[in-house]
């Protein structure tokens, strides 16, 4: 698992699609970018599997791994929830544990953690500005947050 500290990870840029992931308590938003890493677009919302025993692979991880194979991704970027002050709390610890399981299932595809502060708030605001309301918004806000995570990460890599 690779991680960004105060900027982009230090790996060399490789052309190819990346998967962006917004891990929530009930759902996982998934986005993908084009091979040149210019534009992130929504792909799916996956229901979290919180009932699988520790020895089995949860269905959400299996589905995301299948999506990664389907899009032939070269990297998976997962948002790490930190507080506004940059501290990690219980949500970050939960995300790290989930990412370890995902990384083991998608290897050798690298999984990178990136700061996701405010991405859901930004995604929600953009959906509101676009006139998306009610149950339709709830069904796509996770995808929009995944787009925001991946697009922000891509933009930082380009700078």
């Amino acid at each position: 698992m690779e991680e960004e500290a105060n900027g982009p990870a230090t790996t060399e840029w490789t052309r190819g699609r990346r998967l962006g992931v917004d891990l929530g308590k009930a759902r996982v938003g998934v986005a993908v970018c084009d091979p040149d890493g210019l534009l992130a677009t929504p792909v799916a919302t996956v229901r979290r599997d919180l009932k699988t025993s520790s020895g089995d692979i949860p269905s959400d991880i299996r589905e995301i791994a299948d999506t990664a194979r389907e899009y032939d991704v070269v990297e998976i970027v997962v948002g790490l929830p930190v507080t506004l002050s940059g501290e990690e709390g219980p949500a970050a610890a939960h995300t790290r544990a989930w990412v370890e399981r995902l990384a083991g299932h998608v290897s050798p595809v690298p999984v990178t953690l990136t700061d996701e502060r405010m991405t859901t708030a930004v995604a929600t605001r953009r959906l509101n500005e676009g006139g998306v309301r009610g149950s339709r918004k709830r069904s796509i806000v996770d995808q929009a947050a995944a787009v925001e995570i991946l697009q922000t990460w891509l933009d930082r890599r380009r700078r």
Side-chain angles (χ1 to χ4, degrees):
M1 174 178 18
E2 196 171 315
E3 190 165 339
E4 296 182 341
N6 292 329
T10 56
T11 59
E12 184 100 10
W13 177 262
T14 304
R15 187 174 189 274
R17 291 176 176 266
R18 269 103 180 140
L19 210 62
V21 176
D22 175 50
L23 181 67
K25 291 178 182 173
R27 293 173 305 275
V28 182
V30 182
V32 71
C33 71
D34 61 284
D36 293 317
L38 299 175
L39 184 63
T41 56
V43 171
T45 300
V46 176
R47 182 158 307 284
R48 286 293 308 276
D49 177 359
L50 302 172
K51 295 182 176 152
T52 299
S53 66
S54 62
D56 295 331
I57 304 297
S59 62
D60 54 345
I61 289 178
R62 279 197 316 270
E63 193 169 335
I64 290 165
D66 289 347
T67 301
R69 281 189 289 281
E70 177 185 338
Y71 283 94
D72 196 26
V73 302
V74 298
E75 187 170 11
I76 299 173
V77 180
V78 180
L80 180 66
V82 293
T83 65
L84 291 177
S85 64
E87 301 290 318
E88 290 190 20
H94 176 77
T95 297
R96 286 182 181 281
W98 185 88
V99 164
E100 277 188 37
R101 290 186 84 182
L102 174 67
H105 196 62
V106 299
S107 181
V109 174
V111 179
T112 301
L113 286 166
T114 189
D115 184 336
E116 72 162 24
R117 270 180 272 193
M118 305 300 292
T119 54
T120 300
V122 169
T124 300
R125 188 185 76 233
R126 288 189 181 173
L127 290 172
N128 286 340
E129 289 169 354
V132 180
R133 301 269 189 261
S135 62
R136 176 158 154 63
K137 182 170 73 174
R138 278 193 302 278
S139 70
I140 62 171
V141 71
D142 302 293
Q143 290 177 43
V147 166
E148 200 65 39
I149 288 166
L150 184 55
Q151 190 65 56
T152 300
W153 184 86
L154 291 168
D155 293 346
R156 276 197 308 247
R157 292 293 299 213
R158 267 198 302 282
R159 279 190 229 127

